[in-house]
Amino acid sequence: MTAANLLTLAQAAKALRARSLSARELTRACLDAIAKAGALNAFVTVTPERALADAERADARLAKGEARALEGIPLAIKDLFCTQGVKSTAASRILGEFVPPYESTVTEKLWAAGATLLGKANLDEFAMGSSNETSAFGPVVNPWRRQGDNRKLVPGGSSGGSAAAVAAGLCLGATGTDTGGSIRQPASLTGTVGIKPTYGRCSRYGIVAFASSLDQAGVFARDVADAAILLRETAGHDARDSTSAKLPVPDFAAAVEAGVKGLRIGIPKEYRVEGMPAEIEALWRQGMAWLKDAGAQAVDVSLPHTAMALPTYYIIAPAEASSNLARYDGVRYGLRVADDDLVTQYEKTRAAGFGKEVRRRVLIGTYVLSAGYYDAYYLKAQKVRALIARDFVDAFKACDLILAPTAPNAAFAMGEKADDPIGMYLNDVFTVPANLAGLPGLSVPAGLSAEALPLGLQLLGRPFDEATLFAAGREIERRAGLFPVSDRWWEAAP
Ligand code: GLN
């Protein structure tokens, strides 16, 4: 029998309802796996007492036949979501000891659906990064290894802890956030399913802000059906987030098997970027062949401003970050390095509290917002952003979905890109446009690289049409075959 922690969420929910598995047993299995997987550093905080108490309550409801959608399902929560009474650090020293007095809406919804909190997943500091190497609490290790090579690989970022935890079977699902690719890219690098819904689909209330006009919560799961269940339970309007959409949440789980017959799948020619590895290109073609096999039709589309997406993102995101991060001043909460002089106290606190990448972003952000450069950089970037969004509006007149690679590479070795910020930023080349346009994107495992590492394909959809993404993702998943939960690392790890 499959170990309980390696079940899919849907399988576990069924076993819990059939009472062939208890929430306590399931939670214990996850906690044991987490304890054994310390080398992955996937968690900033593990909450065993809370988890077991949650599980006990779940068992009581299951016994009474009052199970809710996620009753007894153990989850990892990216440590960017505020959890009441549980340390929430954003993987930064400046929030290292912060215990929020309130709960984020997304996590509140998960607990209201009966889910269990296993702990807070590691991430890049303030979600800034593509490799999870900028965390103040050390990097996360990808459970996968290259064939015949035992070097530790990155899980992608910034939601690397969430992705690694799902990939290694430490939890049945996880939350993430995606500002420029932070759910989809780590999903691709760890062989998991990740969805960034439409901007406004999930509430941002209680999520530590990075770039507010781009940030969106989403989920990781082992398969498409699980991702659909989790998104259904996290989405919805919230009066506490003025940008959250007043729209009903469809039953995404019911949409998973809807198929793609008659759908037009757009292949954007601008995504054939120079230097794209042949295996990524081949995977992309394979994905299209699979969707055709499922009854869809391929159409060529153009997104002419694609090349400007990365530079635009790396102006807008740092600009908003520099403004959002101004609140960490050592006065109200978080780290304080005291000094008699207030300005010196600000300086010392922020110098001690923020890591190198965060400081780089604050510097870039304040520069592009400063008088004299505002028009040349920030305003210009906003205009280009509008053009990028319009590209998609035009493309979606000719197609129903867009298919593209998720990332230009498989997982890379730790340290490999650490001194190459541009190379690191290039990891987001296929993911950033959807954030700038506010569109939903799903990454689904589609194949293995020559080195036997997972590679994902990305589906982009019309605003609020996550349902079609799930349906198409499922068709790819069905043909690619389910990825093994990667306990490979147990054998490979020294
Ligand atoms: N890798 C991108 C960045 O560093 C995206 C991060 C994210 O989506 N949070 O900004």
Side-chain angles (χ1 to χ4, degrees), residues 89-446:
T89 68
S92 179
R93 257 188 299 275
I94 213 151
L95 284 174
E97 300 304 325
F98 177 56
V99 179
Y102 59 91
E103 188 76 31
S104 83
T105 298
V106 161
T107 49
E108 192 172 83
K109 280 174 170 283
L110 292 171
W111 316 143
T116 293
L117 172 65
L118 290 168
K120 305 297 293 290
N122 204 346
L123 65 149
D124 277 301
E125 184 176 5
F126 282 104
M128 296 173 189
S130 302
S131 66
N132 219 126
E133 292 172 289
T134 74
S135 167
F137 306 111
V140 174
V141 179
N142 194 324
W144 292 79
R145 293 280 191 280
R146 288 173 179 142
Q147 206 156 45
D149 180 345
N150 208 20
R151 259 179 307 166
K152 290 181 185 163
L153 307 178
V154 304
S158 66
S159 314
S162 302
V166 171
L170 311 184
C171 58
L172 273 65
T175 65
T177 62
D178 191 312
T179 303
S182 276
I183 291 176
R184 292 160 287 157
Q185 185 257 13
S188 179
L189 270 49
T190 58
T192 55
V193 175
I195 180 156
K196 173 201 104 69
T198 314
Y199 184 80
R201 183 58 104 177
C202 292
S203 170
R204 288 183 295 109
Y205 176 79
I207 300 174
V208 175
F210 164 10
S212 307
S213 77
L214 301 159
D215 296 345
Q216 192 28 225
V219 297
F220 289 90
R222 214 157 284 150
D223 66 15
V224 173
D226 285 4
I229 296 170
L230 280 172
L231 186 66
R232 182 188 67 200
E233 299 306 320
T234 50
H237 177 251
D238 177 14
R240 294 175 296 187
D241 171 3
S242 60
T243 60
S244 108
K246 262 197 191 117
L247 285 175
V249 180
D251 183 357
F252 295 130
V256 169
E257 299 295 342
V260 293
K261 266 203 187 70
L263 288 189
R264 297 162 305 166
I265 313 288
I267 303 290
K269 62 168 189 272
E270 291 80 5
Y271 280 44
R272 285 211 178 82
V273 292
E274 230 191 83
M276 177 151 76
E279 64 181 9
I280 304 278
E281 175 118 36
L283 180 83
W284 191 9
R285 259 198 308 272
Q286 174 67 75
M288 194 53 243
W290 281 332
L291 291 175
K292 273 190 194 160
D293 176 57
Q297 163 200 346
V299 295
D300 289 322
V301 296
S302 173
L303 300 166
H305 298 92
T306 296
M308 290 170 203
L310 263 186
T312 303
Y313 173 84
Y314 277 102
I315 290 172
I316 293 175
E320 294 186 21
S322 72
S323 161
N324 271 327
L325 270 53
R327 74 190 69 178
Y328 305 106
D329 54 11
V331 176
R332 288 159 293 185
Y333 56 91
L335 180 79
R336 174 186 301 165
V337 181
D339 194 281
D340 293 340
D341 177 64
L342 183 63
V343 172
T344 312
Q345 177 173 303
Y346 290 159
E347 288 171 356
K348 284 186 175 168
T349 299
R350 290 168 66 83
F354 290 144
K356 193 168 129 220
E357 182 62 25
V358 175
R359 292 202 298 265
R360 184 189 349 250
R361 307 273 180 126
V362 170
L363 285 175
I364 295 172
T366 42
Y367 180 81
V368 300
L369 287 175
S370 58
Y373 292 110
Y374 184 94
D375 289 357
Y377 292 109
Y378 184 69
L379 209 60
K380 190 66 144 284
Q382 293 289 24
K383 289 178 183 166
V384 179
R385 180 178 187 174
L387 294 175
I388 290 168
R390 204 162 67 197
D391 282 355
F392 281 101
V393 172
D394 291 342
F396 281 123
K397 286 176 190 153
C399 67
D400 304 296
L401 279 178
I402 288 171
L403 179 73
T406 307
N409 46 255
F412 43 93
M414 293 173 78
E416 211 166 82
K417 291 186 200 285
D419 295 324
D420 174 18
I422 304 287
M424 192 72 90
Y425 294 175
L426 276 173
N427 248 264
D428 304 328
V429 61
F430 301 128
T431 48
V432 148
N435 299 81
L436 290 167
L439 302 173
L442 173 86
S443 179
V444 59

